[in-house]
Amino acid sequence: MDGMAVARAVCALVFLVAAACPVLGYVPQGPGPARRSAGGRRTHGAARTYIVLVEPPPAARLQHADDEAAHWLWHESFLPDSGGGRRRRVRHSYTSVLSGFAARLTDGELAAVSRKPGFVRAFPERRVQLMTTRTPAFLGLEPGRGAWNATGYGEGAIIGFLDTGIDEKHPSFRDEGMPPPPARWKGACQAPVQCTNKLIGAASFVGDNTTADDVGHGTHTTGTAAGRFVEGASAFGLGAGGGTAAGMAPGAHLAVYKVCDAQGCFESDLLAGMDAAVKDGVDVLSVSLGGVSTPLDKDPIAIGAFAAASKGVLVVCAGGNSGPLPSTLSNEAPWILTVAAGSVDRSFRATVRLGDGETFQGESLTQDKHFSSMVYPLYYSQGMNYCDFFDANITGMMVVCDTETPVPPMSSIEAVREAGGVGVVFVNEPDFGYTIVLEKYYNLPMSQVTAVDGTKIMGYAMKGSSKTNHTATIMFNSTVVGVKPAPIVAAFSSRGPSVASPGVMKPDIMAPGLNILAAWPSLVPIEGPESYSFNIISGTSMATPHVTGVVALVKKAHPDWSAAAVKSAIMTTSSAVDNDGNRIMDEEHQTASSYAVGAGHVVPARAVDPGLVYDIGVRDYAGYICKLLGEAALRAIAGASANLTCAEVEPVGAAQLNYPAIVVPLRAEPFTVNRTVTNVGPARSSYTAKVDAPKGLAVKVEPAELEFTEVKERKTFTVTVSAAAGASDRASDEQKIVEGSLSWVSQDHVVRSPIVADSGITLMS
């Protein structure tokens, strides 16, 4: 993800791009293995790192169930004897989220390992990419009221983070007034970090062997989810409307597992962090990482998240930053809460005013208040002007630059400055529509404008036979809040439909992820000589911790709820409308598909009191895996410890999974799905079905009313969907989708589920 200056030094920090990054250094974990230097490569010669899934050790080998030394020795027993170095070859030993280990193996050694009794599967690890202040208020979180008041700001909940570490001395993580962690907590802090009542766990699984954040990404996501109240917070003099920053669950405890550094992230380290987090006792796990779509039984994040969910730990993951193209999602397993990114109602306004008086609302993090009183000649070279070089004298001129990247390249800014330009108007790439991704630049005053506005500015600059009288200036208006419409889907946010989980609606939920202000390590440079303790960056990485914090609030309110119930609460209470009361729009200001926004935009206050939930158990997920991928995949994902085979569970098609969203084929023949809701509201509750469906889509719900007399009482209903003749033809030629929703409405609750009828999928009941 390349949304800031650090991203130019760290491959793909804000935008999910397959850049060639140096590989991550490594420190083995567990008894006895030797360390590798931080600069060492994962693969050389014929060897590479594999994640190896194996059966749990025989009971005779264990003194007790969590005998880690026995697990380590069991895992070592799979490795072929290579003299005295065998024990050093186990990189990580996994015992919580899966049974297995990571090791460097040649093809021949892997073949030998695969012949050992107890071997299940092996796959080479991949490198995965790293995928705020105003946002609590935008999401309806207010001190002393609503969800914060009902949950004590998340006090007692424990959030785990798999990221780049943390700046533990940042004021967002002070512990004044916080209670000690719950007695069930088993984690600790790796020296030299001292645990506090806020930061209760810190461990490194990468080559630098320190939990310090030398990238900034981890500190930013951690502060977003659970930062304490910090007054006077701003980045570059911009940001916090009321001057106070806070995370979503400021009272929650933090446990940080460093699985990435400036050289990248690798799946074996990520799994080691996930394994430790679940073992330590986190309530929710935040993973702002991801890669390209991968079958669920070959995706370590999906495999680890399955075990975590079975133990009540919901894993919240970034959906990826490869939008706006369809089917570009990461982290698609139905037991993962997959997060899309949207805007907030805040703009760092930099208005471009032309000589003819017309104005255009751009944005910038470089706000030079003295610049706005000056008017400058406007320069634009006819045709595409990327500002790489200039064949004209631009001294003292305002320069208009096109860009082919989501953020302006530093090389263009340098070229303008060196050629004597005094300011830059950067025109957004067309695919990004109304999404403007900001970075901090020091060299020149600038404004970033949409492609639509940029076309008008370029037209003005080229008007007439003489271009010398065209002028412009930039008026910097600092931070503007209450911007409408908001939220809109960020252009970079990856879209469904899911490839790995066809027929399951993904992403699940949208949260703020565009130009988010949150904590930053002061020793990590942003751009220029100054240091800052807050920064503004973008991505689904930033959206994910917003949802993670909300999960912590829900878990505090309902500690006995399953991971699926918490996920359902967040999805069914989300909002489908923006702050203008209209359907949420995408980056082109067109109505956003559920494949872009998920169930809707997260609403914390409603999530803690959803009324009804759609729960899903391990056996249901197992039936889904069997139907989709078969017995071998179930063994790989669920592990032998689950004691499940496909013969023992009922196969569950994607449409019949008790998901809080409904996806069916778009066809004239009726298609019926079953759903079951659990009452988590008042014991005596009555709900009536309300269907919102466009013309040409028939939706029938039976029964149309649900009566509950007890808490935790379950009721089953059916939803039958059919399209009128020609309805699919009236849909888009590119993607024939018709959408509606089903809401169960009571006196106090609205439990809404999207309905997506998609001609591009074929589902079996």
Side-chain angles (χ1 to χ4, degrees):
M1 302 166 89
D2 188 23
M4 57 186 170
V6 172
R8 290 187 291 272
V10 181
C11 293
L13 179 60
V14 176
F15 284 97
L16 189 63
V17 290
C21 301
V23 297
L24 171 64
Y26 181 75
V27 174
Q29 305 296 317
R35 295 179 179 177
R36 288 177 63 85
S37 67
R41 292 186 63 86
R42 280 297 175 85
T43 61
H44 58 79
R48 63 185 304 182
T49 299
Y50 285 88
I51 296 168
V52 183
L53 309 183
V54 299
E55 302 279 0
R61 283 180 171 260
L62 300 175
Q63 294 184 9
H64 44 80
D66 57 353
D67 187 345
E68 293 192 17
H71 281 87
W72 188 278
L73 292 172
W74 168 246
H75 296 155
E76 281 189 330
S77 72
F78 283 85
L79 297 178
D81 191 351
S82 57
R86 184 175 67 178
R87 294 187 66 217
R88 298 175 58 177
R89 306 253 304 282
V90 171
R91 304 289 182 203
H92 294 298
S93 175
Y94 310 120
T95 62
S96 182
V97 297
L98 57 83
S99 175
F101 60 93
R104 288 186 64 252
L105 301 168
T106 65
D107 290 345
E109 289 169 337
L110 177 62
V113 169
S114 68
R115 291 191 292 267
K116 294 287 186 86
F119 173 84
V120 175
R121 176 174 293 184
F123 40 85
E125 73 168 357
R126 302 173 300 164
R127 180 169 51 225
V128 293
Q129 306 291 343
L130 293 167
M131 294 299 186
T132 39
T133 102
R134 174 61 187 168
T135 48
F138 180 58
L139 296 177
L141 292 171
E142 300 179 46
R145 302 177 61 185
W148 270 351
N149 186 58
T151 64
Y153 301 91
E155 181 179 298
I158 303 171
I159 305 176
F161 295 86
L162 303 182
D163 218 299
T164 63
I166 189 172
D167 175 8
E168 75 275 7
K169 296 180 181 179
H170 194 282
S172 291
F173 310 125
R174 70 190 190 282
D175 74 338
E176 290 91 339
M178 287 194 64
R184 59 184 170 82
W185 176 245
K186 299 178 182 177
C189 290
Q190 176 179 316
V193 175
Q194 297 291 319
C195 280
T196 67
N197 287 341
K198 181 64 173 178
L199 180 63
I200 63 173
S204 175
F205 297 89
V206 299
D208 60 13
N209 200 31
T210 169
T211 59
D213 183 5
D214 57 357
V215 175
H217 190 273
T219 299
H220 196 279
T221 57
T222 306
T224 300
R228 304 295 301 278
F229 291 94
V230 179
E231 295 185 1
S234 68
F236 332 118
L238 304 168
T244 300
M248 297 294 100
H253 303 289
L254 306 176
V256 173
Y257 304 87
K258 185 173 179 178
V259 299
C260 307
D261 63 11
Q263 297 185 60
C265 319
F266 284 89
E267 289 175 326
S268 65
D269 302 328
L270 191 158
L271 267 179
M274 188 180 291
D275 197 67
V278 174
K279 206 177 303 181
D280 288 344
V282 301
D283 293 311
V284 56
L285 202 49
S286 191
V287 184
S288 287
L289 313 168
V292 297
S293 180
T294 304
L296 301 181
D297 58 330
K298 297 178 176 64
D299 182 353
I301 295 179
I303 294 171
F306 182 92
S310 70
K311 298 175 182 180
V313 179
L314 181 57
V315 179
V316 185
C317 290
N321 304 299
S322 298
L325 294 175
S327 297
T328 49
L329 286 164
S330 300
N331 303 314
E332 303 155 80
W335 46 88
I336 287 174
L337 183 50
T338 308
V339 186
S343 67
V344 298
D345 65 338
R346 174 179 61 196
S347 172
F348 303 106
R349 190 65 56 78
T351 303
V352 179
R353 185 177 65 196
L354 304 180
D356 63 2
E358 192 168 8
T359 60
F360 301 92
Q361 306 296 348
E363 294 194 67
S364 178
L365 298 183
T366 305
Q367 300 257 340
D368 185 346
K369 298 293 181 62
H370 303 291
F371 189 79
S372 59
S373 62
M374 303 289 291
V375 176
Y376 301 90
L378 184 66
Y379 173 82
Y380 176 71
S381 177
Q382 188 169 6
M384 301 301 286
N385 180 22
Y386 300 124
C387 297
D388 294 327
F389 66 94
F390 298 92
D391 56 5
N393 182 8
I394 64 167
T395 301
M397 303 184 81
M398 178 86 67
V399 180
V400 181
C401 297
D402 298 323
T403 178
E404 289 184 318
T405 58
V407 292
M410 179 59 74
S411 60
S412 296
I413 297 172
E414 288 288 349
V416 173
R417 185 185 63 82
E418 291 175 3
V422 297
V424 186
V425 176
F426 267 105
V427 180
N428 221 23
E429 65 169 310
D431 285 349
F432 265 50
Y434 290 87
T435 296
I436 296 178
V437 180
L438 299 176
E439 283 191 6
K440 174 64 176 175
Y441 299 94
Y442 281 82
N443 294 329
L444 284 174
M446 63 176 293
S447 177
Q448 293 174 238
V449 299
T450 67
V452 172
D453 288 346
T455 299
K456 297 176 182 177
I457 294 171
M458 290 184 287
Y460 165 79
M462 298 303 300
K463 188 182 301 182
S465 58
S466 174
K467 320 294 192 302
T468 57
N469 294 326
H470 299 152
T471 61
T473 191
I474 302 175
M475 300 177 292
F476 295 104
N477 308 113
S478 190
T479 305
V480 177
V481 297
V483 173
K484 294 182 177 182
I488 65 170
V489 181
F492 56 77
S493 188
S494 290
R495 312 297 158 96
S498 172
V499 175
S501 296
V504 174
M505 193 196 74
K506 290 285 180 173
D508 294 306
I509 196 74
M510 188 172 79
L514 178 65
N515 302 327
I516 302 303
L517 189 154
W520 193 257
S522 59
L523 296 180
V524 175
I526 296 173
E527 183 67 44
E530 299 180 63
S531 63
Y532 294 92
S533 56
F534 289 86
N535 194 11
I536 296 168
I537 56 178
S538 299
T540 53
S541 276
M542 285 61 255
T544 299
H546 281 92
V547 177
T548 301
V550 176
V551 172
L553 298 178
V554 177
K555 286 290 286 186
K556 171 60 188 297
H558 309 283
D560 60 332
W561 280 11
S562 69
V566 174
K567 177 177 175 177
S568 172
I570 289 172
M571 291 177 65
T572 62
T573 59
S574 64
S575 176
V577 299
D578 60 26
N579 57 1
D580 261 336
N582 301 316
R583 287 282 303 276
I584 292 173
M585 296 188 291
D586 65 14
E587 72 285 345
E588 298 291 348
H589 280 189
Q590 302 296 314
T591 300
S593 162
S594 295
Y595 289 146
V597 75
H601 196 254
V602 65
V603 181
R606 296 184 202 157
V608 298
D609 181 23
L612 304 174
V613 294
Y614 294 82
D615 209 350
I616 307 176
V618 171
R619 295 182 68 88
D620 302 311
Y621 286 132
Y624 168 77
I625 295 167
C626 290
K627 183 87 168 183
L628 178 67
L629 297 169
E631 185 76 53
L634 178 63
R635 191 175 178 218
I637 297 170
S641 59
N643 293 320
L644 288 175
T645 66
C646 288
E648 297 172 310
V649 298
E650 181 179 350
V652 179
Q656 303 300 344
L657 191 65
N658 200 41
Y659 215 67
I662 297 170
V663 179
V664 298
L666 179 60
R667 65 186 193 188
E669 299 82 6
F671 191 96
T672 300
V673 301
N674 301 303
R675 289 293 187 271
T676 299
V677 288
T678 303
N679 181 27
V680 294
R684 291 193 168 275
S685 302
S686 299
Y687 288 84
T688 301
K690 178 186 176 183
V691 172
D692 178 13
K695 185 178 181 180
L697 189 69
V699 179
K700 183 178 181 181
V701 181
E702 294 182 305
E705 295 184 354
L706 300 177
E707 294 283 344
F708 295 92
T709 59
E710 298 177 3
V711 176
K712 296 186 179 181
E713 185 179 359
R714 294 161 62 89
K715 295 284 186 181
T716 298
F717 60 92
T718 64
V719 180
T720 301
V721 182
S722 60
S728 60
D729 296 333
R730 289 193 296 271
S732 164
D733 290 336
E734 295 181 358
Q735 193 170 14
K736 297 176 180 178
I737 299 170
V738 181
E739 299 189 34
S741 66
L742 163 64
S743 298
W744 287 106
V745 182
S746 73
Q747 184 176 350
D748 302 312
H749 300 92
V750 176
V751 186
R752 185 182 57 84
S753 293
I755 299 174
V756 179
D758 186 348
S759 65
I761 62 172
T762 301
L763 296 172
M764 296 180 293
S765 297

